[in-house]
Amino acid sequence: MCGIIGYTGSSNALPKITKGLSVLEYRGYDSVGLAATTEEGIVTVKCRGRIGALEERLTALSLEGCTSGIGHTRWATHGGPSDRNAHPHQVGRVTLVHNGIIENYKEIKAEMSANGVEFLSETDTEAAAALIDACYAASGDPVAAILQATARMKGSYAFGVLFEDRPGEVFAIRQGSPLLLARGADGFYLASDLTALLPFTTEYRCLEEGELAHLSPDGAVLLRAGGEKIIPAWIRSTMTPESAQKGGFAHFMCKEMHEEPEAVRKSVSSRIREGLPDFSADGITVDFWRQITGVQIVACGSAMHAGLVGIDLLERVAGIPATCHIASEYRYHPPLAAEGTLVLVISQSGETADTLAALRYAKSVGLPTLAIVNAVETTIAREADRCVYTYAGPEIAVATTKGYCTQLSVLYMLAAAIGHGCGRLSDTDARALVRAVSEDAPAAMAEILSRREELCELARVLAPHDHVFYIGRGVDFAMSEEGALKLKEISYIHAEAYAAGELKHGTISLVEEGTPVIAIATERALYDKTESNVREVQSRGAHVILLCPADMARGEVSATDVVPLPHGSEAATLFAALATVQLLAYETAALRGCDIDRPRNLAKSVTVE
Ligand code: AGP
């Protein structure tokens, strides 16, 4: 959603803050700014646009002697992208940056206006700054001021705060939005996520809900939500600064696609024991699986699309009823949950507000919860009763690729573990499925990734169009949803997924000469049916690109173009289809000159509801 960075110590703060902002840009990039403490007081520099625009303004100012400060990259919620809506916001002696939404900001703003505050922006954040400043004027104590003001706020926030008369000190507090602290050789940091800290240190600690941090060059003190003061215990990350770099690829998305085979292997290997699925390393025993009578999957975006595949796996492989729900809808229309229902939340970032809210709702009504998360130590990972990590490593591109495919791989393993643990999947079948996911699927993805030229040619078919359809049946319909989202979000082509058998009930009227239709047919039992649907759209002029197992692609095939997929197992073929739609979207967006890693209007982690 937005990115926060802060520093105080013995070094120049500006290069650290701008470096952190350049790493955090993927979290939001419509405007950017920083505030630094100088001998003359706090200087704030901010503007619409990207980090480069801010650096130009900083160069013109040639600020000296700044050893503490805060920075922010913005994904606009209240007030469009502009210089005045950019963070930091300063009111009185308070300057702050914010990630989240203050839902009662209008009430606060009206009260502060009545007290004489003149607001310059349309943001909720400026109202928060005014309230903290008013509390500071009354108490003279920065900690008390932050606690009193945030006690009145409704919604979510991660704040980095400077006080004019407290040079060198940086304050932070979080509720509902992520914030980490870190200790470096030359001072102390705060940031929205670990990747922004890696250039400086690997010693970090996540702020818990309600915790307030007071950083100074001499140390860091934490005030727990209950009032207890502690010195933070630091965790050492195993990630390296290179984890958050492109490694020679043109885009993070390309790098992360090429990391998929290894990411899948890493995500499943610790869950295999003697060839069988085993989640004991995650603290989950067979007895736990045996208590489960059904699963409600809850997620957003691509993670929800992984959940659509998860329904098929849990019902077909594990033999238990499963449903999949859009997280932002879940708690407003909660589905009935029979005794033994498990709520399974899926999130790459572990900070998606809609998914976190759904998780908290499930826990509030006493349902057992399990999370599949990629980013370690994040809020969803920590709050779920149990968490199974995908080991994809940091994912920087806004469009998820390795995050999604490792979610799929873990879902396959979960389905196999539940089915086998409950005696509904034989040893032989469980071993076969484990092999398909741990060996065939990575190999199949690697093969597709090596066929980039072939897919680039097909991207030339899509690039000139404004509308593209994806069709499939069963899990191929779920994969069509993911393919359509990938194309939409990075190439800005309108793409729609349709159950292949459903298109003829109305929407086929949109198909005209040359309309591209991507048909996904990895499920052999449904191939003939899907091929009939291919004929239906082709007879109306569609340019059909058929993705199907290579051995099904021989002989007379109806499609205009065919992408023969590795056909070792249906699981492997589905992963190959995934790599295909990801690469198609990537090459199409490249042909259209889009900003692939930073698509317009988007952010990597949507930490507001
Ligand atoms: C996927 O490419 C999108 N960036 C988006 O749909 C994403 O999957 C969704 O916002 C959920 O994010 P999460 O997995 O971090 O919860």
Side-chain angles (χ1 to χ4, degrees), residues 174 206 208 282 345-352 355-356 359-360 363 369-390:
R174 66 146 302 182
C206 298
E208 300 288 349
D282 302 282
V345 295
I346 305 174
S347 176
Q348 188 286 130
S349 64
E351 296 295 354
T352 299
T355 308
L356 177 58
L359 170 64
R360 287 174 173 168
K363 291 182 72 176
T369 58
L370 169 63
I372 298 177
V373 174
N374 187 45
V376 295
E377 283 289 313
T378 46
T379 307
I380 291 172
R382 296 203 313 273
E383 293 197 10
D385 299 327
R386 293 169 178 79
C387 178
V388 172
Y389 281 119
T390 53

Side-chain angles (χ1 to χ4, degrees), residues 253 298-305 346-356 372-375 380 395 397-401 403-404 407 482 485-486 489-490 599 602-606:
M253 185 177 173
V298 191
C300 303
S302 290
M304 192 269 288
H305 296 157
I346 305 174
S347 176
Q348 188 286 130
S349 64
E351 296 295 354
T352 299
D354 290 325
T355 308
L356 177 58
I372 298 177
V373 174
N374 187 45
I380 291 172
E395 187 176 68
V398 168
T400 183
T401 49
Y404 173 89
Q407 288 162 0
E482 180 56 15
L485 178 60
K486 283 283 114 13
E489 65 179 329
I490 64 174
L602 293 180
K604 180 60 179 174
S605 175
V606 186

Side-chain angles (χ1 to χ4, degrees), residues 462-463 465 484-495 584-590 592 594 596 599-600:
L462 305 185
H465 289 271
L485 178 60
K486 283 283 114 13
L487 187 67
K488 271 184 280 195
E489 65 179 329
I490 64 174
S491 74
Y492 313 147
I493 292 173
H494 172 250
L584 259 182
Y586 175 81
E587 296 297 351
T588 303
R592 289 168 65 99
C594 296
I596 290 172
R600 67 186 180 201

Side-chain angles (χ1 to χ4, degrees), residues 473 476 521-530 549 552 570:
R473 289 172 178 255
D476 292 328
T522 67
E523 280 200 70
R524 293 171 178 281
L526 300 173
Y527 179 83
D528 292 341
K529 292 290 184 194
T530 303
M552 308 289 278
E570 283 200 355

